[in-house]
Amino acid sequence: MNRENICPIVKKKETSANSITNMAIELINAGEVKKLNALWIEATGCSGNIISLLNAKDPDMVYLLREMINLRFNNSIMATEGENAFEIFLDTLSTDFILIVDGAVSKRDNGFFTVVANNKGKRITAMEAIKMAAERAKYVLAVGTCASHGGISAARPNPSESISLDKFLAREVIKLPGCPCHPDWLIGTIAHLLVKGIPDLDNLGRPIMFYGITIHDHCPRRSYFDKGIFAGKLGEETCMFKLGCRGPVTKTDCPNRKWNEYVNWPIGNNTPCIGCAQAYFPDGMEPFVRY
């Protein structure tokens, strides 16, 4: 697709997403914006969103951690361990902080399907830690499809009785679905929170600047769809709608932003979109490939 021929609405969305991050960087460097503390709880999921964030590029994760937020707690990447780590969690509750949750909330057996810490001989469940932090957090972000909509963790038969974050909490939750969430969607949202507060959200609580247009709207294979030229098997470089592509119902900017440092994305690699950012993923998106 010729970049000059992209819909002006898409171009405006891309510009706003990039400009808000650049604005945050400028204001942080000038000392006009204060860093916020952040607590990241990895609940019932695969930890894929923190791994995705490690691949952030512009800005990268080092910049995020040094200049934009103080990541006080994260199950995977913090150096402190055990009770000392959870003490940092508890100390942060009395400050201004963002709560980031990665993974669904497991309610089975009072939440003991997902234990995130031990403190003074007591096991702390993700459910308990999320409730504790959400009551005091300035903002709450659901990162990834499991936290946003239940996702794979809540898929049938759902033995852990997992639910999305907003179904568990009685407060506003900013949702950043994706399996995993793209680093830019998270960093761009944090930048907006630092500079302008909560971004414009759609009716599902997703930032419109990242989730306002479907993949189908600006897919580079859209011209094949319009001409009725459809792939009959994987590997053909025409429209994969008849192979089960979920691009027409999935709202993200993957075609323009791409993944792995903006190199490629599923359709660019000749596989259909499986709708991983959709509210009904995975149960409502199956089968992922059909003939």
Side-chain angles (χ1 to χ4, degrees), residues 125-227:
T125 67
M127 186 174 76
E128 182 180 357
I130 289 168
K131 185 176 185 298
M132 195 184 307
E135 291 174 348
R136 302 189 183 189
K138 186 170 185 179
Y139 306 109
V140 177
L141 304 183
V143 179
T145 301
C146 288
S148 298
H149 304 300
I152 290 175
S153 297
R156 291 186 299 266
N158 194 7
S160 61
E161 297 178 7
S162 290
I163 59 174
S164 61
L165 190 59
D166 64 324
K167 289 182 179 177
F168 178 67
L169 298 176
R171 62 164 297 168
E172 182 177 43
V173 174
I174 300 170
K175 298 180 182 180
L176 301 171
C179 194
C181 172
H182 195 291
D184 289 3
W185 302 341
L186 175 57
I187 294 176
T189 300
I190 290 174
H192 202 290
L193 294 175
L194 291 174
V195 175
K196 295 187 175 183
I198 297 174
D200 291 335
L201 306 176
D202 65 12
N203 63 338
L204 294 180
R206 305 172 298 187
I208 293 174
M209 61 182 174
F210 300 119
Y211 298 92
I213 298 176
T214 69
I215 284 175
H216 186 66
D217 288 331
H218 43 131
C219 178
R221 302 190 185 200
R222 175 61 185 268
S223 61
Y224 291 114
F225 176 89
D226 293 340
K227 295 175 182 176

Side-chain angles (χ1 to χ4, degrees), residues 106-119:
S106 169
K107 296 174 63 181
R108 177 79 176 271
D109 295 340
N110 202 29
F112 276 99
F113 266 48
T114 310
V115 174
V116 297
N118 285 280
N119 187 47

Side-chain angles (χ1 to χ4, degrees), residues 4-279:
E4 296 301 317
N5 295 331
I6 290 177
C7 166
I9 297 176
V10 175
K11 294 180 74 173
K12 184 177 180 181
K13 277 163 46 61
E14 286 185 326
T15 302
S16 62
N18 293 334
S19 63
I20 195 67
T21 303
N22 292 334
M23 184 187 303
I25 290 172
E26 291 174 7
L27 293 176
I28 289 166
N29 290 338
E32 298 179 28
V33 168
K34 182 181 177 182
K35 294 170 65 177
L36 280 176
N37 290 331
L39 297 174
W40 184 308
I41 298 174
E42 293 178 44
T44 310
C46 67
S47 302
N49 295 290
I50 192 69
I51 294 171
S52 177
L53 183 61
L54 290 169
N55 198 45
K57 177 64 176 176
D58 189 18
D60 60 16
M61 189 169 181
V62 173
Y63 186 91
L64 171 71
L65 298 181
R66 284 181 177 173
E67 307 294 342
M68 298 178 72
I69 60 172
N70 298 308
L71 186 57
R72 302 273 294 162
F73 182 88
N74 174 268
N75 306 70
S76 290
I77 66 172
M78 69 185 298
T80 311
E81 299 178 347
E83 289 191 6
N84 291 335
F86 195 66
E87 286 298 326
I88 295 173
F89 177 93
L90 295 174
D91 289 344
T92 307
L93 298 180
S94 60
T95 71
D96 274 348
F97 70 93
I98 301 171
L99 172 61
I100 301 170
V101 177
D102 167 7
V105 182
S106 169
K107 296 174 63 181
R108 177 79 176 271
D109 295 340
N110 202 29
F112 276 99
F113 266 48
T114 310
V115 174
V116 297
N118 285 280
N119 187 47
K120 296 179 173 57
K122 178 187 176 184
R123 290 182 295 173
I124 308 298
T125 67
M127 186 174 76
E128 182 180 357
I130 289 168
K131 185 176 185 298
M132 195 184 307
E135 291 174 348
R136 302 189 183 189
K138 186 170 185 179
Y139 306 109
V140 177
L141 304 183
V143 179
T145 301
C146 288
S148 298
H149 304 300
I152 290 175
S153 297
R156 291 186 299 266
N158 194 7
S160 61
E161 297 178 7
S162 290
I163 59 174
S164 61
L165 190 59
D166 64 324
K167 289 182 179 177
F168 178 67
L169 298 176
R171 62 164 297 168
E172 182 177 43
V173 174
I174 300 170
K175 298 180 182 180
L176 301 171
C179 194
C181 172
H182 195 291
D184 289 3
W185 302 341
L186 175 57
I187 294 176
T189 300
I190 290 174
H192 202 290
L193 294 175
L194 291 174
V195 175
K196 295 187 175 183
I198 297 174
D200 291 335
L201 306 176
D202 65 12
N203 63 338
L204 294 180
R206 305 172 298 187
I208 293 174
M209 61 182 174
F210 300 119
Y211 298 92
I213 298 176
T214 69
I215 284 175
H216 186 66
D217 288 331
H218 43 131
C219 178
R221 302 190 185 200
R222 175 61 185 268
S223 61
Y224 291 114
F225 176 89
D226 293 340
K227 295 175 182 176
I229 304 174
F230 299 103
K233 61 182 179 181
L234 295 176
E236 295 180 3
E237 296 185 359
T238 51
C239 177
M240 290 183 283
F241 178 72
K242 291 189 176 182
L243 293 177
C245 182
R246 296 299 190 266
V249 296
T250 304
K251 288 188 174 182
T252 70
D253 59 8
C254 295
N256 298 329
R257 193 170 301 279
K258 300 183 180 179
W259 293 77
N260 297 328
E261 299 185 3
Y262 318 120
V263 171
N264 205 351
W265 67 301
I267 291 175
N269 202 39
N270 280 327
T271 64
C273 166
I274 62 174
C276 75
Q278 265 290 81

